Amino acid sequence: MSLSYRKGLEGVIATETKISCVDGEKGYFIYRGYWAKDLAIQYTFEEVAYFIWHGYFPNETELQSFKQKLNEYRQIPQYVKEVINLLPENMHLMDVLRTAISAVGNDSFQWPPKIEDAIRLTAITPTIIAYWHRKKNELPLIEPNDNFDHVSNFLYMLTGKRPTYAHCKALSSYMILTMEHGMNASTFSSRVVCSTESDMVSAIVAAIGAMKGPLHGGAPSGVLRMLDEIGTPEEIEPYIVNKLEKGEKLMGFGHRIYKTTDPRAETLKEVAKGLAGEEKWFDLAVQLEEKAIELLNRYKPGRKLYANVEFYAAAILKGISLPKSLFTPTFTASRMVGWTAHILEQASDNRIFRPQSLYVGKMPKM
């Protein structure tokens, strides 16, 4: 059998999937036959999560049953709280999340994985994030509220206040658009572990470990710094010109996959435009992108640099007053849906991943 080497497995097809299609050349981003941007604007987080797992949208009875299950699984078991409480105060939230999710993985998680497992992990993740955030900041701990949906409850547990419509809509759109994105590093990690017939929790812990890496889950932070440094619309053009004339990278523009406009960024831009009057950061981001595209075309003609999802993600997360320390964990809370969907799909037609390596070391004397 002829073998070929691709560094980082770039361009190598590792599996077949019906979950999503990411075509960077054409700018396609599809969830099970639907444009992801339409789902982010027209549907709720619960409806899209159900769709991603089942392949069809829930009727009203199914939706209410699903919401009830999410409510049941939001609570952190007491023994998991005790584990969290023993962790060092300076521990990174992604490490806390990885440890807490691992502790959740009791004997009820078995091979083959079940959709019930996916619901449990998706439901509890925001609660763990909020629990640690408030504990670390010496704030009163807030239990989940069954009167709120998944996204609203997350904001409520973080802030202790009833979230506004603008904040809920913005975060819901963001979480729908980031719940799945093809065979990225963390998703691939989860499928590799699942392919060994390990349980869903073990596969998710591997995915969280991959997500923690700054090349995967940390990109919006650079955009956040840029927004802070610019501050007002009047400073947009001088800031960009200064960056480009120095040959420095403009954070939030360009993408390894997308060679045209990032459809996720386009959708979040639409959300930001609709909410621009609610938060100044939404308005600043829209103006910044428009000026940046104009200047990038002038300074770097033919490069096809457009705003990526991290650009508008930073604006959305900053606009809802989410601390920077919660950016990657929130990304993780949304991606839990995609990871678990891939784990379920892997298990349905499993073959253990076993790629080859190319030995480039010394050979013994013959």
Side-chain angles (χ1 to χ4, degrees):
M1 182 175 62
S2 176
L3 300 176
S4 61
Y5 168 59
R6 294 285 187 88
K7 191 171 184 178
L9 299 181
E10 186 169 1
V12 175
I13 296 173
T15 191
E16 293 181 330
T17 183
K18 294 181 179 179
I19 299 170
S20 71
C21 170
V22 180
D23 188 324
E25 295 295 330
K26 297 177 181 177
Y28 289 174
F29 184 31
I30 299 166
Y31 287 171
R32 293 192 181 274
Y34 287 75
W35 297 114
K37 62 182 180 181
D38 294 338
L39 300 182
I41 292 174
Q42 300 171 15
Y43 290 82
T44 65
F45 180 93
E46 286 86 349
E47 289 170 326
V48 179
Y50 191 100
F51 173 65
I52 291 290
W53 287 326
H54 293 269
Y56 60 88
F57 290 102
N59 59 35
E60 187 58 31
T61 300
E62 290 167 332
L63 182 60
Q64 292 307 315
S65 175
F66 175 45
K67 287 182 176 179
Q68 184 175 345
K69 284 185 176 181
L70 283 172
N71 287 342
E72 290 173 5
Y73 292 135
R74 283 175 179 168
Q75 297 285 348
I76 305 175
Q78 183 57 38
Y79 79 91
V80 177
K81 287 183 179 179
E82 292 173 5
V83 170
I84 295 173
N85 292 339
L86 290 172
L87 298 176
E89 290 185 5
N90 63 348
M91 198 167 183
H92 192 287
L93 180 45
M94 289 297 289
D95 294 331
V96 173
L97 190 56
R98 182 193 63 215
T99 303
I101 291 294
S102 181
V104 169
N106 53 40
D107 289 344
S108 63
F109 289 89
Q110 298 286 341
W111 174 272
K114 308 178 294 297
I115 288 180
E116 194 85 3
D117 299 339
I119 297 172
R120 290 176 63 184
L121 294 174
T122 300
I124 200 172
T125 299
T127 313
I128 294 170
I129 294 169
Y131 183 92
W132 181 260
H133 171 70
R134 293 189 68 85
K135 177 179 180 295
K136 185 172 183 179
N137 289 281
E138 299 181 346
L139 298 169
L141 301 178
I142 297 175
E143 294 296 324
N145 187 326
D146 292 350
N147 295 318
F148 291 131
D149 64 20
H150 188 75
V151 174
S152 301
N153 184 66
F154 183 33
L155 288 173
Y156 167 72
M157 290 188 297
L158 288 172
T159 66
K161 301 175 183 177
R162 177 181 289 274
T164 66
Y165 168 78
H167 285 191
C168 291
K169 178 59 181 175
L171 184 57
S172 178
S173 297
Y174 166 77
M175 293 184 73
I176 290 172
L177 285 170
T178 55
M179 66 170 53
E180 161 61 9
H181 200 244
M183 195 58 62
N184 52 78
S186 56
T187 298
F188 183 56
S189 298
S190 72
R191 290 191 76 134
V192 169
V193 173
C194 174
S195 77
T196 69
E197 295 193 0
S198 189
D199 58 274
M200 183 178 282
V201 168
S202 296
I204 290 299
V205 168
I208 292 173
M211 179 68 86
K212 181 190 174 187
L215 294 184
H216 189 12
S221 299
V223 181
L224 183 64
R225 286 192 296 272
M226 179 174 67
L227 289 170
D228 281 334
E229 289 170 4
I230 293 174
T232 63
E234 294 76 23
E235 295 299 319
I236 291 175
E237 184 165 357
Y239 179 91
I240 297 174
V241 169
N242 181 54
K243 283 282 186 183
L244 295 179
E245 289 188 345
K246 288 182 176 179
E248 296 178 3
K249 183 179 179 181
L250 199 60
M251 299 303 295
F253 290 84
H255 193 275
R256 180 175 178 180
I257 300 296
Y258 293 108
K259 306 308 177 187
T260 181
T261 53
D262 185 333
R264 300 168 299 170
E266 287 291 295
T267 305
L268 291 179
K269 177 181 179 179
E270 189 173 333
V271 173
K273 276 187 171 181
L275 302 172
E278 303 285 342
E279 296 288 348
K280 72 169 187 174
W281 296 109
F282 297 161
D283 189 49
L284 182 69
V286 172
Q287 294 182 54
L288 172 57
E289 188 222 9
E290 292 173 352
K291 180 56 67 173
I293 296 298
E294 175 191 326
L295 293 171
L296 282 167
N297 286 333
R298 185 191 310 169
Y299 280 83
K300 300 177 182 291
R303 288 285 302 278
K304 297 183 178 180
L305 295 173
Y306 303 94
N308 56 40
V309 69
E310 283 80 20
F311 177 80
Y312 274 105
I316 292 290
L317 298 178
K318 185 174 181 62
I320 63 175
S321 302
L322 204 72
K324 187 173 69 173
S325 62
L326 297 180
F327 279 20
T328 304
T330 300
F331 188 3
T332 302
S334 65
R335 187 56 62 83
M336 194 64 66
V337 175
W339 288 337
T340 53
H342 276 273
I343 291 166
L344 292 166
E345 186 178 65
Q346 179 68 37
S348 70
D349 184 24
N350 189 47
R351 183 180 178 88
I352 189 170
F353 284 95
R354 182 61 175 88
Q356 298 292 318
S357 59
L358 180 65
Y359 178 68
V360 294
K362 294 181 179 180
M363 292 293 291
K365 292 181 179 180
M366 302 299 288

